[in-house]
Amino acid sequence: VLLAEYYLHKYANKYDKQGLKINQKAIQKLLKYKWPGNVRELENTIERIVLMGSADGISASDMILLLPALNNQKLSEEYCAIAIENKTLDELEKEAIIKALKSTNDNQSEAAKLLGITQRQIGYKIKNYGI
């Protein structure tokens, strides 16, 4: 938790999003994950959450966009409930791509890295979603 908060502060300052906090449910999600990539994976995850998360803080729902990049664990009912919010998977994916592009000043290569996909994949998805 201390490392997560350290990286949160680091990237909140870097991306001018000061005042972000990690709520308790998000902390529980971070603690449940096994982190096979260790500290580097945690740092990359926190950076992505800062870039793509909401302005009022980090919640468990912010993490849903990162699940494919985070792990191969099965989605729990709780994650599914958070993710759905009356949106389709395509709508959630499009939203994640838009947020990643905004946070990287429309740099497709950097946005692809944030999302854990290739440049070719993001190019296809941008075209497909009409972004």
Side-chain angles (χ1 to χ4, degrees), residues 44-45 47-49 51-53 62-71 92-104 107-119 121-123 125-126 129 131:
N44 291 334
T45 299
E47 182 178 17
R48 288 177 182 163
I49 290 172
L51 285 168
M52 296 173 25
D62 292 323
M63 295 169 49
I64 191 66
L65 298 173
L66 300 173
L67 281 175
L70 283 174
N71 59 57
L92 290 170
E93 185 175 54
K94 180 178 179 180
E95 183 178 313
I97 292 168
I98 290 169
K99 283 184 177 184
L101 287 168
K102 283 182 182 178
S103 68
T104 61
N107 183 320
Q108 289 184 18
S109 177
E110 289 299 312
K113 285 179 189 176
L114 282 176
L115 295 168
I117 60 176
T118 66
Q119 283 183 269
Q121 288 172 313
I122 199 168
K125 291 174 185 294
I126 287 170
Y129 292 131
I131 298 172

Side-chain angles (χ1 to χ4, degrees), residues 2 9 17-18 31 39-40 55 57 61 65 67 74 79 81-82 86-87 93 99 111 115-116 119 124:
L2 291 174
H9 179 73
K17 293 186 173 188
Q18 288 83 10
L31 290 173
V39 176
R40 184 171 287 157
S61 63
L65 298 173
L67 281 175
K74 293 180 182 175
Y79 277 127
I82 291 168
N86 296 323
K87 295 180 182 176
E93 185 175 54
K99 283 184 177 184
L115 295 168
Q119 283 183 269
Y124 171 80

Side-chain angles (χ1 to χ4, degrees), residues 7-83:
Y7 290 127
L8 175 67
H9 179 73
K10 175 183 176 179
Y11 290 107
N13 285 333
K14 180 178 179 178
Y15 298 111
D16 198 27
K17 293 186 173 188
Q18 288 83 10
L20 290 179
K21 301 230 185 281
I22 305 174
N23 76 21
Q24 195 58 38
K25 285 187 178 185
I27 288 173
Q28 290 172 358
K29 301 299 179 203
L30 291 172
L31 290 173
K32 285 183 182 179
Y33 182 62
K34 296 190 187 323
W35 300 102
N38 298 322
V39 176
R40 184 171 287 157
E41 183 181 12
L42 174 65
E43 181 178 6
N44 291 334
T45 299
I46 296 297
E47 182 178 17
R48 288 177 182 163
I49 290 172
V50 168
L51 285 168
M52 296 173 25
S54 60
D56 57 345
I58 307 237
S59 67
S61 63
D62 292 323
M63 295 169 49
I64 191 66
L65 298 173
L66 300 173
L67 281 175
L70 283 174
N71 59 57
N72 294 327
Q73 297 173 356
K74 293 180 182 175
L75 291 177
S76 68
E77 286 182 28
E78 182 180 349
Y79 277 127
C80 291
I82 291 168

